[in-house]
């Protein structure tokens, strides 16, 4: 049967019939508020649709499935599994997990497919599924559109042969794989911040295994998130990490989001290093080990990937691409890049460093290795070695899912004609790049970006200046004035 598009909790039908808000099918994964946007029969219909998609594509009917640490995630996973089994799929249930452990399980179990029940960094009340067939890739827009149509058109097809299997030992194998035989040769004290999320079961253990002294920060698993929503792109979490560094005298802080696929950094001086700047620090180190490497950066990221003199001297090449974990993974894989860096903290370390998927734990280990290779440098030294730029955090004004893409298009249509004519922050606009929203390039190398969020009802705004904090503020205010011509754009989620 076709799922009902209007989700109406506390009704007879809600307990019987699949209900799915169509907006939950996003560019590269699926996310809904639960139960406002999807009910359990709707999740089962999603599982039936995903299994049908596997069968249609001729993929061996076997899938690894995990769930994050939220109080409703097990119910969501079980409903998804019911649909997958109904579609004739052999489900290998790896239990509670962070998302990169689910990606790892595809390799470890030689599974043709993976589905991870997670709300990612979204606050409680959200759920969703990250899924993929061709490791280390996850669904992109084409696969998501196909899945959406199968599910919403009621074209899920039941088959015999499905079964459920509990698989133990994946967590232990994953931790062993992360650490290998590496041990720190310098002493490091690191604040490990997980915001009581799923990564609390992993990150402290990984760091201790490689010889790091761990300062715990909200590392008790608690799916009510009593301190803050675990999101290392949010200033609330970064400020808390900074305070912990200053209080403990730690060498740095590493913070992880709700499903462990992102990592944020605060240095020994308590300076909050945005993830794209951390990416440049890592790219410098990796490009010294791997000459002429290519690095992919998302369009929200600093221009330093292209302009940094050390990267240029090492022969590194920069490729700016669409924001989003699936887009970035696919691009790294497609062009044979060594790594991809996203301002949100998703880092994609390919062979020989990693397997190409986003893994906050792998990033943490590689940052420790980087510091071990630079025993006379602190994290703040490495930050200060970079050319100075001023940039905003990721700022997300509200815009409804049903309206955000049309709203963005109107904003882009106003910005494109300003090339060569208009200005932001008193600087002439020399280009408007529209690969993913609009990145407005200024004559001195500064820029401002506006795009639509792929997974929440928001627009996304980021700005950078190579001159000063004052110019950064002026660039943002001019760009925001253009955005504010749209009356349906609401308040920002944070300020700077």
């Amino acid at each position: 049967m076709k799922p009902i598009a209007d989700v109406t909790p506390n009704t007879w039908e809600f307990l019987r019939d699949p209900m799915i808000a169509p907006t939950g099918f996003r560019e590269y994964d699926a996310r809904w508020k639960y139960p406002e946007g999807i009910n359990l029969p709707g999740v089962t219909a999603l599982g039936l649709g995903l299994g049908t998609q596997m069968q249609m594509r001729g993929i061996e009917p076997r899938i690894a499935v995990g769930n994050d640490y939220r109080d409703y995630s097990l119910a969501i996973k079980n409903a998804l599994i019911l649909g997958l089994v109904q579609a004739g799929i052999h489900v290998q249930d790896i239990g509670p997990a962070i998302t990169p452990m689910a990606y790892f399980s595809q390799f470890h179990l030689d599974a043709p497919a993976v589905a991870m029940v997670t709300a990612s960094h979204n606050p409680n009340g959200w759920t969703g599924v990250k899924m993929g067939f061709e490791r280390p890739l996850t669904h992109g827009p084409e696969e998501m559109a196909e899945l959406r149509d199968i599910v919403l058109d009621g074209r899920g097809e039941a088959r015999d042969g499905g079964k459920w299997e509990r698989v133990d030992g994946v967590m232990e194998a994953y931790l062993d794989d992360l650490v290998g035989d590496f041990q720190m040769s310098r002493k490091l004290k690191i604040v490990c911040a997980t915001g009581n999320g799923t990564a609390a079961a992993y990150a402290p253990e990984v760091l201790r295994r490689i010889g790091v002294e761990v300062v715990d920060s909200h590392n008790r698993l608690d799916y009510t998130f009593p301190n803050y929503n675990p999101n290392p792109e949010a200033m609330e979490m970064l400020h808390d990490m900074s305070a912990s560094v200053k209080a403990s005298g730690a060498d740095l802080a590493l913070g992880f989001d709700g499903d462990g696929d992102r990592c944020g950094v605060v240095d020994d001086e308590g300076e909050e290093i945005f993830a794209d700047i951390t990416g440049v620090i890592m790219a410098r180190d990796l490009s010294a080990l791997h000459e002429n490497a290519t690095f992919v950066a998302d369009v929200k990221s600093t221009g330093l990937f292209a302009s940094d003199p050390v990267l240029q001297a090492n022969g590194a090449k920069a490729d700016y691409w669409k924001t989003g974990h699936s887009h970035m993974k696919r691009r790294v894989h497609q062009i044979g890049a060594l790594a991809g860096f996203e301002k949100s903290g998703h880092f994609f370390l390919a062979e020989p460093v990693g397997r190409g998927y986003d893994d906050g734990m792998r990033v943490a280990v590689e940052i420790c290795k980087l510091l071990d290779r630079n025993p006379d440098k602190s994290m703040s030294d490495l930050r200060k070695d970079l050319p100075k730029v001023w940039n905003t955090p990721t700022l997300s004004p509200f815009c409804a899912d049903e309206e955000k893409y049309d709203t963005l298009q109107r904003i882009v249509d106003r910005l494109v004609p300003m090339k060569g004519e208009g200005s932001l922050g008193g600087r002439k606009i020399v280009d408007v790049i529209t690969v993913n929203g609009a990145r407005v390039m200024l004559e001195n190398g500064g820029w401002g970006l506006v795009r639509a969020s792929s997974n929440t009802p928001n627009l996304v705004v980021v700005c950078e200046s190579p001159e000063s904090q004052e110019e950064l503020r002026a660039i943002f205010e001019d760009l925001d004035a253009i955005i504010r011509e749209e009356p349906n754009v609401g308040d920002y989620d944070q300020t700077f």
Side-chain angles (χ1 to χ4, degrees):
M1 64 181 294
K2 289 186 178 182
I4 302 167
D6 297 322
V7 184
T8 51
N10 198 15
T11 63
W12 181 263
E13 292 78 13
F14 183 79
L15 296 181
R16 183 189 65 189
D17 302 331
M19 297 179 175
I20 304 174
T23 53
F25 291 94
R26 302 177 186 271
E27 284 185 49
Y28 43 80
D29 54 30
R31 297 190 199 187
W32 293 270
K33 280 192 171 181
Y34 172 75
E36 298 95 328
I38 193 167
N39 66 348
L40 291 178
V43 177
T44 296
L46 176 65
L48 176 62
L50 181 61
T52 300
Q53 186 181 35
M54 291 176 64
Q55 301 279 15
M56 285 172 51
R57 289 182 168 231
I59 295 168
E60 179 194 343
R62 182 165 56 89
I63 189 169
V65 179
N67 63 279
D68 67 8
Y69 190 83
R70 298 182 190 240
D71 63 345
Y72 46 83
S73 289
L74 180 59
I76 298 292
K77 181 180 72 173
N78 286 340
L80 184 77
I81 288 172
L82 181 62
L84 287 164
V85 171
Q86 187 182 6
I89 307 299
H90 173 189
V91 175
Q92 294 181 288
D93 186 349
I94 64 172
I98 52 175
T99 294
M101 181 184 129
Y103 297 153
F104 167 81
S105 74
Q106 246 195 304
F107 291 85
H108 181 66
L109 301 174
D110 194 24
V114 64
M116 175 67 188
V117 171
T118 179
S120 190
H121 64 276
N122 288 20
N124 271 330
W126 285 85
T127 190
V129 183
K130 294 179 179 179
M131 62 212 92
F133 297 156
E134 184 186 348
R135 61 190 181 208
L137 307 181
T138 44
H139 273 25
E142 178 185 334
E143 293 86 359
M144 286 305 303
E146 180 182 69
L147 175 62
R148 178 199 63 213
D149 292 345
I150 292 170
V151 174
L152 297 184
D153 291 346
R155 291 192 281 115
E157 184 178 336
R159 297 182 183 224
D160 294 333
K163 71 173 183 176
W164 171 87
E165 172 193 7
R166 171 174 168 157
V167 179
D168 295 319
V170 178
M171 180 176 181
E172 291 74 17
Y174 170 64
L175 293 173
D176 289 344
D177 183 74
L178 282 170
V179 174
D181 58 1
F182 173 69
Q183 285 292 301
M184 296 291 300
S185 60
R186 69 181 282 189
K187 290 185 177 180
L188 278 183
K189 180 193 284 189
I190 296 180
V191 172
C192 178
T194 62
N196 306 100
T198 319
Y202 296 80
E205 171 71 10
V206 169
L207 293 173
R208 289 190 174 103
R209 281 198 191 190
I210 64 174
V212 168
E213 180 185 349
V214 172
V215 179
D216 287 299
S217 176
H218 310 310
N219 288 339
R220 179 180 60 83
L221 285 165
D222 185 342
Y223 44 56
T224 68
F225 302 155
N227 296 288
Y228 50 72
N229 182 50
N231 177 6
E233 198 175 12
M235 298 309 295
E236 181 182 19
M237 183 172 184
L238 289 170
H239 289 341
D240 189 74
M241 290 162 60
S242 176
S244 296
V245 167
K246 293 172 182 176
S248 65
D251 296 293
L252 71 155
L254 297 172
F256 306 90
D257 71 334
D259 68 333
D261 57 10
R262 297 192 296 142
C263 181
V265 180
V266 171
D267 70 23
D268 49 291
E269 294 182 352
E271 183 77 12
E272 297 144 359
I273 308 178
F274 295 150
D276 54 342
I277 301 300
T278 300
V280 177
I281 293 171
M282 295 182 71
R284 276 186 162 194
D285 178 71
L286 291 171
S287 65
L289 300 173
H290 307 274
E291 289 186 2
N292 303 316
T294 296
F295 297 106
V296 180
D298 80 315
V299 294
K300 295 193 300 180
S301 289
T302 177
L304 287 177
F305 285 102
S307 64
D308 176 57
V310 173
L311 289 177
Q312 290 178 344
N314 290 341
K317 300 176 184 66
D319 179 83
Y320 284 90
W321 195 242
K322 298 176 183 178
T323 293
H325 68 86
S326 183
H327 294 306
M328 290 288 289
K329 271 191 283 264
R330 199 168 294 269
R331 185 65 172 177
V332 168
H333 184 72
Q334 179 185 42
I335 68 174
L338 180 62
F341 301 102
E342 196 175 359
K343 188 177 174 69
S344 63
H346 288 277
F347 293 170
F348 311 85
L349 304 175
E351 296 287 354
V353 185
R355 290 190 175 87
Y357 53 77
D358 36 339
D359 186 344
M361 304 303 119
R362 171 59 63 195
V363 173
V365 170
E366 294 306 318
I367 288 174
C368 290
K369 289 180 179 179
L370 180 158
L371 288 165
D372 213 49
R373 286 191 286 268
N374 295 272
D376 58 338
K377 296 274 191 178
S378 65
M379 199 69 204
S380 62
D381 290 334
L382 296 170
R383 168 179 57 83
K384 292 172 185 175
D385 284 345
L386 299 180
K388 179 64 177 173
V389 292
W390 289 261
N391 45 29
T392 69
T394 300
L395 305 169
S396 300
F398 176 82
C399 191
D401 279 325
E402 299 85 354
E403 301 174 351
K404 63 187 180 185
Y405 290 106
D406 289 341
T407 300
L408 173 68
Q409 189 58 56
R410 290 192 295 271
I411 295 169
V412 172
D413 289 344
R414 284 196 288 274
L415 288 169
V416 168
M418 295 176 69
K419 176 182 176 180
E421 304 290 336
S423 65
L424 294 181
R427 297 289 184 178
K428 183 178 179 181
I429 295 172
V430 296
D431 199 6
V432 180
I433 300 168
T434 57
V435 67
N436 192 204
R439 181 165 167 143
V440 183
M441 306 300 295
L442 307 178
E443 59 186 331
N444 68 339
W447 54 271
L449 169 80
V450 58
R451 60 179 294 272
S453 171
S454 299
N455 46 43
T456 58
N458 296 100
L459 300 180
V460 174
V461 178
V462 183
C463 302
E464 179 173 279
S465 166
E467 297 292 334
S468 66
Q469 184 73 15
E470 291 72 26
E471 183 179 84
L472 175 69
R473 175 66 62 179
I475 293 170
F476 166 74
E477 289 177 352
D478 284 355
L479 180 59
D480 183 58
I482 295 168
I483 294 168
R484 291 295 148 190
E485 294 181 35
E486 294 293 327
N488 59 333
V489 178
D491 293 337
Y492 283 89
D493 62 331
Q494 57 183 345
T495 59
F496 71 102

